[in-house]
Amino acid sequence: MGDGHLKKYETKPTKHPLARLKKHYQGLDAFTRHKQMINNYFLYYPGAHEKFKERDTSKDKNDYDIIRENHKFLWNSDDITEAEKSWDAKLAKRYYDKLFKEYCIADLTFYEKNKVAMRWRIEREVKSGKGQFICGEKHCEKDKGLESWEVNFTYKEHGEKKSALVKLRLCPTCSAKLNYHSMKKRVSKEKKKESRKRQKKSKEKSSKKSKKEDEESSSSDSSDEDKTEEKEDEDKNESEISQKAREEAKIAKEASKQMTSIQHEFYEIINKKLAPSNSRKNIPLKGKCKGMCSKREINFRSKNHLIHPMETSTPFASMKRSERKPQIHKMIKEYSRPAADKLVSLEDVRPYDVLIISTEYLLGLLDSYQQPNQWQIVYGFVADRFRAIRQDLIVQQLPPQQIIRLLELQIPFYLNGRKRCEDLKIQSYDKKLHHSETDETFSRWFEAVKLGGEFSNEIFKAYIFYYLNKENIAYEIIEILGFNENSAELLNIVFAFLNKNYSRFFQEFKNQKVDYIRNALWIHSGLMRFEALQTFRLAFGAKGVTFPLEILADLLALPSIKSLDECLKLLFHVPNGIPIPFTFFGLSITSLDSSQLSHHWFSV
């Protein structure tokens, strides 16, 4: 045979027996591949399932087990540093950050044994009002007669004894359980004043009395109340009013086990009557932070990669958080929700002049970045930093005139920002949150105005337009402006809105040249157009009566006939499109509700 004959029957190299199987597995996803391998294992190795039963499951853990082992009631700075090293602690810290630490939830099942369990609230409980507007006891759902209590919660955590000062909101029945063994501190303005007075008197006593008298004062908390009364009588510097207040406090302490809501109210009335009239007023604080952001916050946020894009040199470049390099002169204090475990340091609070600088810097950002693709980032940044500015304003109890100046710089942002966010359909825009922040800003501004501060007439006009549907808005106009030409003009607009004078309302809307004042009226435009079209249907619904769409669009301050067409289609059953010439005859109203108005009704 020749060489060619041999080549014809030459065999190909053999593949590995698992090559075909490997190729088959490559086309499967991980879960399907896992199931097929397990099925093959059971198929080719009979009885193999017994080995699975023998596996030790004692060390198996899920996320709940890890959080339970590493959870802490309060985390300090040292704990946070340790959490960065351990994945388990980091998971527990992440769960802790999601808790709400203003009020606690308590379990008073074993209150007779002086064993009270406490924990922070979760998001679902905050939304339902549990622990604040509903009794904070775990098994109680009462919502009347609630009282706030300040409790020194002592607990044992990871073999270490700890304590924390927490707040509870309880009904009268649960309050009696909480005070079964000892009277806790009730949180109220009267209590705060009384505690300050007692602290001041105790300092005076300690400087005048001897060691023997100090020993007697240390035993004043014992059950021997007769000795305590004798010692108080010997003090000639105490007035008769303070002696009666102490007697009432002792009576309340003895009756704490059987205290009812009526007794609580009686105790509060007694405190108010016996409270001294010349009580010390709160001394306003002054912040010490000289920059727009404190050094502590700059270091913390830089270390944990919490830099906002607007605080970098390239705010609109897409990059990961870890890649953002902060520009110190662009960093501004961010808003942080107040909680029970957070103490306010004056080193982190900005004084008035720094707050003005921060506000003007944020307004400069709004003027610099006007493009639609930039607005989402700029809006979120400015809204958060404005909240932080108001937070510093509240802490320092600034004078009315300073409050008015600060808030009048913020108000146009909220009025213009709402319209622009809805026009651009910004995903991060939360309508309810924006509305609540606008309400907070306006309410603080108005309170400062009532205290006698000078205000801008344009801001006051925007305030009136924004709250046209408020019940006592006309009274507030008279309260601030009195009876003059300015108040008469504003009252005419209020009455036009209340009396459904659509022509007067939209004429005023078209005449406004200042954007934020116009936008204050704009929020009511959808409802007014909705009700106006229903009124037109009744007035011009006769057969053969037509209405020019151009006149109707101009009367309702709509930008075009197309916008009017969309509103008519949403409100009425139009079988074959808008009839030309247009007539209201035969059009029936749809089930559209005023709360379901789309963006077409707010077209400008």
Side-chain angles (χ1 to χ4, degrees), residues 107-173:
D107 190 345
L108 301 174
T109 306
F110 302 102
Y111 72 95
E112 294 181 349
K113 298 180 181 179
N114 201 18
K115 293 182 179 180
V116 178
M118 293 192 192
R119 63 170 175 82
W120 301 117
R121 297 188 297 167
I122 59 177
E123 183 179 3
R124 183 178 68 253
E125 292 170 334
V126 174
K127 290 181 178 179
S128 64
K130 179 66 175 176
Q132 184 176 4
F133 306 110
I134 301 174
C135 180
E137 208 282 329
K138 181 180 178 182
H139 307 289
C140 182
E141 297 296 331
K142 295 180 180 178
D143 59 354
K144 294 183 179 179
L146 301 184
E147 293 180 304
S148 297
W149 298 95
E150 211 171 67
V151 183
N152 186 18
F153 177 46
T154 303
Y155 59 99
K156 195 171 184 181
E157 187 177 74
H158 302 300
E160 184 180 355
K161 193 173 181 180
K162 299 181 179 180
S163 63
L165 195 65
V166 300
K167 287 169 66 177
L168 278 174
R169 291 274 291 166
L170 300 175
C171 65
T173 304

Side-chain angles (χ1 to χ4, degrees), residues 480-495:
I480 302 301
L481 299 181
F483 292 96
N484 51 44
E485 293 181 0
N486 293 333
S487 61
E489 180 184 355
L490 292 175
L491 286 172
N492 286 334
I493 300 171
V494 171
F495 295 145

Side-chain angles (χ1 to χ4, degrees), residues 15-25:
K15 292 184 178 180
H16 192 277
L18 295 179
R20 184 178 179 184
L21 187 62
K22 182 180 179 181
K23 185 177 181 181
H24 172 69
Y25 282 148

Side-chain angles (χ1 to χ4, degrees), residues 570-595:
L570 291 170
L571 183 59
F572 302 115
H573 287 292
V574 184
N576 299 317
I578 301 299
I580 301 296
F582 176 73
T583 176
F584 285 99
F585 177 74
L587 296 182
S588 58
I589 298 178
T590 64
S591 58
L592 181 67
D593 188 77
S594 59
S595 61

Side-chain angles (χ1 to χ4, degrees), residues 342-382:
K342 291 183 180 179
L343 298 176
V344 178
S345 173
L346 291 180
E347 299 295 335
D348 299 332
V349 178
R350 296 162 292 181
Y352 170 72
D353 55 342
V354 180
L355 292 178
I356 287 290
I357 294 172
S358 302
T359 304
E360 291 177 346
Y361 173 77
L362 292 170
L363 294 176
L365 293 180
L366 293 172
D367 294 335
S368 302
Y369 302 107
Q370 293 287 333
Q371 299 299 324
N373 58 342
Q374 300 172 343
W375 176 251
Q376 180 168 346
I377 297 176
V378 176
Y379 165 78
F381 180 71
V382 174

